[in-house]
Amino acid sequence: MSNSSLTAAERVNIARHPQRPNISDYIGALFTDFFEQKGDRLCGEDAAILGGVALYHGRPVTVIGTRKGKTLEENLTCNFGMPNPEGYRKALRLMRQAEKFRRPIFTFIDTSGAYPGLEAEARGQGEAIARNLMEMSRLTVPVIAVITGEGNSGGALALGVADRVLMLENAVYAILSPEGFASILWKDAQRRDEACGLMKLTAPDLLELGVIDDVIPEPEGGAHVSPAVALRQVDRCIARHLAELDKESGKALAAARYQKFRRLGAPASQKEEG
């Protein structure tokens, strides 16, 4: 079955495939000389977000991504890709550092959402996410976000306020999981396939709605079928968008990014005026 004929529910299943390339794979394939940086300088380290400095085609950049594992042990270590507030504060620390040294920022998003535990809320989960949204909207360096698997809720958006938001063909991006949507709307999580069809969470849907800026093709069956091919496609796409953003001044980037997100959800007439 070709990717174009997949249903929304089938794309959700592919986006969640445990062998799908993760942030470590992207760093290993697309970047060199990666130097990981840990800790938020306030509370602690969060393994659910991986970030640091690297070279992209010889150019210094900052790379940040939500981290899922491919085995149970790896997932336990990184809390199944659900960051705590320390992870978002670490990401913000790295983004501020990138701005100081004029490095472009790449974020790779694959998370079912921010960790909803009581301890995370007590340590300011909501504030950490909200601050990232505000601070990312003001950055004066190029920011490119790539949704590689699941991108759910504010946990994904906290790394997604970017000049260019790109999605792999079988990734999904939504306000919450289809199971959560079905539970709230119908009190029945078993209706998740029906929810998938209503939520407009696939890359083609979101491109049409203007929520994302580009769709990155995947091998038939998903990125996990031929990771090397998928990684090359991601490389080509982010290189093209970075070249376009490099033409803009820092002030222009921040202004355009702010307006881009302000226009989301506005009537078509207002978007045309903007």
Side-chain angles (χ1 to χ4, degrees):
M1 181 182 293
S2 68
N3 290 330
S4 61
S5 62
L6 293 171
T7 66
E10 288 169 335
R11 290 186 191 271
V12 170
N13 292 337
I14 293 175
R16 293 174 173 174
H17 195 285
Q19 297 306 311
R20 196 170 174 84
N22 61 19
I23 179 62
S24 297
D25 296 316
Y26 287 102
I27 289 174
L30 306 184
F31 304 92
T32 61
D33 299 276
F34 177 69
F35 176 72
E36 182 179 0
Q37 295 180 285
K38 295 185 178 183
D40 65 350
R41 300 298 187 266
L42 292 171
C43 182
E45 162 65 0
D46 183 5
I49 286 187
L50 175 64
V53 181
L55 296 179
Y56 180 64
H57 296 285
R59 177 180 182 178
V61 298
T62 290
V63 187
I64 305 166
T66 45
R67 175 161 49 186
K68 283 184 179 179
K70 295 185 180 180
T71 65
L72 177 59
E73 183 178 1
E74 289 175 353
N75 273 311
L76 288 171
T77 299
C78 60
N79 200 32
F80 293 84
M82 295 184 290
N84 280 278
E86 295 77 28
Y88 294 116
R89 291 178 179 131
K90 173 173 68 173
L92 181 57
R93 178 173 73 83
L94 297 183
M95 287 187 275
R96 285 171 171 164
Q97 181 193 85
E99 184 172 43
K100 177 179 179 180
F101 292 102
R102 310 308 303 164
R103 294 192 297 259
I105 299 167
F106 294 101
T107 68
F108 293 85
I109 299 167
D110 183 13
T111 181
S112 58
Y115 183 60
L118 179 61
E119 299 86 356
E121 298 296 343
R123 295 196 304 275
Q125 185 75 286
E127 187 276 340
I129 291 172
R131 185 166 296 277
N132 275 27
L133 305 185
M134 179 181 71
E135 297 286 352
M136 288 189 76
S137 72
R138 299 173 174 178
L139 292 169
T140 57
V141 293
V143 185
I144 296 176
V146 185
I147 302 160
T148 63
E150 282 187 287
N152 287 344
S153 192
L157 190 58
L159 297 182
V161 182
D163 302 294
R164 297 286 190 275
V165 180
L166 317 176
M167 277 183 74
L168 268 74
E169 188 177 3
N170 293 313
V172 293
Y173 194 29
I175 57 170
L176 78 171
S177 69
E179 292 84 359
F181 183 96
S183 296
I184 292 170
L185 192 62
W186 302 304
K187 312 299 182 187
D188 183 4
Q190 299 302 314
R191 296 176 67 176
R192 54 88 71 178
D193 286 5
E194 187 177 349
C196 290
L198 293 174
M199 291 175 70
K200 302 294 184 182
L201 45 64
T202 67
D205 286 333
L206 294 169
L207 183 65
E208 183 178 352
L209 291 170
V211 174
I212 66 169
D213 301 289
D214 208 348
V215 179
I216 304 173
E218 292 188 34
E220 186 172 331
H224 60 283
V225 174
S226 184
V229 173
L231 292 164
R232 284 197 297 271
Q233 293 281 21
V234 172
D235 187 23
R236 293 190 189 104
C237 190
I238 64 176
R240 173 166 51 84
H241 283 281
L242 181 60
E244 294 172 1
L245 295 173
D246 278 337
K247 299 173 184 177
E248 303 292 334
S249 69
K251 185 176 180 180
L253 286 171
R257 188 185 312 120
Y258 177 82
Q259 290 302 325
K260 167 190 172 70
F261 282 87
R262 289 287 294 176
R263 285 194 298 269
L264 292 180
S269 59
Q270 292 183 21
K271 291 182 180 180
E272 289 172 2
E273 292 172 3

Short mmCIF file of all heavy atoms in Angstrom, two decimals, residues 10 44 76 83 130 163 171 176 182 188 195 222 240 265:
data_model
loop_
_atom_site.label_atom_id
_atom_site.label_comp_id
_atom_site.label_asym_id
_atom_site.label_seq_id
_atom_site.Cartn_x
_atom_site.Cartn_y
_atom_site.Cartn_z
N GLU A 10 -3.96 4.61 10.12
CA GLU A 10 -2.77 3.86 9.71
C GLU A 10 -1.51 4.71 9.83
O GLU A 10 -0.44 4.21 10.22
CB GLU A 10 -2.95 3.35 8.28
CG GLU A 10 -3.98 2.21 8.19
CD GLU A 10 -4.36 1.89 6.75
OE1 GLU A 10 -4.25 2.78 5.87
OE2 GLU A 10 -4.79 0.73 6.50
N GLY A 44 17.69 19.93 37.30
CA GLY A 44 18.30 18.64 36.98
C GLY A 44 18.35 18.37 35.49
O GLY A 44 18.13 19.24 34.66
N LEU A 76 12.37 3.40 29.15
CA LEU A 76 12.31 3.68 30.58
C LEU A 76 13.31 4.77 30.96
O LEU A 76 13.02 5.63 31.79
CB LEU A 76 12.59 2.40 31.38
CG LEU A 76 11.47 1.35 31.36
CD1 LEU A 76 11.96 0.05 32.00
CD2 LEU A 76 10.22 1.86 32.08
N PRO A 83 8.75 14.59 28.17
CA PRO A 83 9.65 15.44 28.96
C PRO A 83 9.03 15.98 30.23
O PRO A 83 7.81 16.21 30.33
CB PRO A 83 9.99 16.58 27.99
CG PRO A 83 9.66 16.06 26.63
CD PRO A 83 8.49 15.16 26.83
N ALA A 130 4.94 27.17 28.46
CA ALA A 130 4.51 28.51 28.05
C ALA A 130 5.71 29.43 27.80
O ALA A 130 5.72 30.22 26.85
CB ALA A 130 3.59 29.10 29.11
N ASP A 163 10.44 28.96 12.37
CA ASP A 163 10.25 29.63 11.08
C ASP A 163 9.69 28.67 10.04
O ASP A 163 8.89 29.04 9.19
CB ASP A 163 11.58 30.19 10.58
CG ASP A 163 12.20 31.15 11.56
OD1 ASP A 163 11.62 32.23 11.79
OD2 ASP A 163 13.27 30.83 12.13
N ALA A 171 4.16 11.23 9.75
CA ALA A 171 4.10 11.76 11.11
C ALA A 171 2.70 12.32 11.37
O ALA A 171 1.91 12.52 10.44
CB ALA A 171 5.15 12.84 11.30
N LEU A 176 -3.81 16.54 21.02
CA LEU A 176 -3.69 15.43 21.96
C LEU A 176 -3.77 14.13 21.17
O LEU A 176 -3.97 14.14 19.97
CB LEU A 176 -4.76 15.48 23.04
CG LEU A 176 -6.19 15.01 22.73
CD1 LEU A 176 -7.00 14.94 24.02
CD2 LEU A 176 -6.88 15.89 21.72
N ALA A 182 -10.93 10.77 21.71
CA ALA A 182 -12.12 9.92 21.75
C ALA A 182 -12.67 9.80 23.17
O ALA A 182 -13.89 9.77 23.38
CB ALA A 182 -11.78 8.53 21.20
N ASP A 188 -15.10 7.15 25.11
CA ASP A 188 -14.78 5.80 24.62
C ASP A 188 -13.48 5.85 23.82
O ASP A 188 -13.47 6.21 22.64
CB ASP A 188 -15.92 5.28 23.75
CG ASP A 188 -15.69 3.85 23.25
OD1 ASP A 188 -14.68 3.23 23.66
OD2 ASP A 188 -16.52 3.35 22.46
N ALA A 195 -11.66 8.98 15.62
CA ALA A 195 -11.09 10.26 16.03
C ALA A 195 -9.98 10.68 15.08
O ALA A 195 -9.87 11.87 14.72
CB ALA A 195 -10.56 10.16 17.45
N GLY A 222 6.83 3.54 5.40
CA GLY A 222 7.30 4.32 6.55
C GLY A 222 8.81 4.44 6.61
O GLY A 222 9.56 3.69 5.99
N ARG A 240 17.44 22.94 2.28
CA ARG A 240 16.78 23.90 1.40
C ARG A 240 16.12 25.02 2.20
O ARG A 240 16.24 26.21 1.86
CB ARG A 240 15.74 23.17 0.54
CG ARG A 240 14.87 24.07 -0.31
CD ARG A 240 14.12 23.27 -1.36
NE ARG A 240 13.42 22.13 -0.81
CZ ARG A 240 12.19 22.21 -0.25
NH1 ARG A 240 11.59 23.38 -0.17
NH2 ARG A 240 11.60 21.12 0.20
N GLY A 265 -5.51 29.66 12.47
CA GLY A 265 -6.89 29.65 12.94
C GLY A 265 -7.69 30.87 12.54
O GLY A 265 -8.89 30.93 12.78
#
